[in-house]
């Protein structure tokens, strides 16, 4: 379920013009990623509740916190990251189908671990996963 959420958000970001987009769970080191602006999508929290069963389908309600990190070299002005967020990330979040999303937190700071300026958007998201039941 986590991978499908990350893939849905990543696809929406790419469709909105954010390139390149990486999963937080990929094995690519930060220094091997794009040298300009790039985006990383991850899940900070995930919780599912009791499934609801029907004759042919199982519905699993869930809520999560999705983190979208837009990173840039340290020399980039923070205003460039904010503009990038407004042009590519915000429209992608609005276009997500199947997820109810709202912005929980937005911050910009320098990350000394990867030596990059990072705009982090944390989204509160919820939805229902639908799984077809096998018949006997």
């Amino acid at each position: 379920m986590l991978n499908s959420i990350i893939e849905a958000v990543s696809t929406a970001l790419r469709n909105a013009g954010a390139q390149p987009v990486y999963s937080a769970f990929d094995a690519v080191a930060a220094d091997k990623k794009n040298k300009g602006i790039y985006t990383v999508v991850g899940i900070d929290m995930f919780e599912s509740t009791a499934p609801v069963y029907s004759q042919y389908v199982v519905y699993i309600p869930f809520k999560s916190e999705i983190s979208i990190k837009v990173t840039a070299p340290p020399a980039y002005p923070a205003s460039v990251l904010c503009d990038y967020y407004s042009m590519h990330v915000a429209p992608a979040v609005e276009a997500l189908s199947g997820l109810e999303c709202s912005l929980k937190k937005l911050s910009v700071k320098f990350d000394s671990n990867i030596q990059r300026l990072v705009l982090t958007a944390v989204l509160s998201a919820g939805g229902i996963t639908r799984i077809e039941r096998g018949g006997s």
Side-chain angles (χ1 to χ4, degrees):
M1 226 186 289
L2 297 179
N3 283 337
S4 63
I5 293 170
I6 290 173
E7 189 52 40
V9 173
S10 297
T11 299
L13 287 166
R14 286 183 197 102
N15 290 343
Q19 293 288 345
V21 179
Y22 300 96
S23 165
F25 302 118
D26 69 17
V28 180
D31 61 345
K32 302 289 187 224
K33 293 180 176 163
N34 189 302
K35 300 297 181 210
I37 292 177
Y38 66 83
T39 304
V40 178
V41 178
I43 303 286
D44 291 346
M45 184 278 296
F46 181 85
E47 177 182 313
S48 63
T49 58
V52 177
Y53 297 92
S54 72
Q55 184 174 1
Y56 301 107
V57 179
V58 178
Y59 299 95
I60 305 172
F62 67 88
K63 58 184 174 178
S64 65
E65 285 184 3
I66 301 167
S67 103
I68 300 173
K69 295 183 178 189
V70 180
T71 74
Y76 273 54
S79 61
V80 171
L81 284 179
C82 291
D83 290 344
Y84 188 90
Y85 175 86
S86 296
M87 290 185 334
H88 301 293
V89 179
V93 171
E94 291 173 15
L96 285 171
S97 62
L99 285 176
E100 290 292 322
C101 290
S102 62
L103 183 62
K104 184 175 181 178
K105 179 180 163 184
L106 187 66
S107 64
V108 178
K109 65 182 180 179
F110 180 75
D111 185 334
S112 59
N113 291 329
I114 61 172
Q115 296 295 307
R116 294 179 69 80
L117 188 61
V118 181
L119 180 146
T120 302
V122 177
L123 307 173
S124 186
I128 298 175
T129 297
R130 184 177 187 264
I131 301 171
E132 300 288 329
R133 294 178 75 172
S136 39

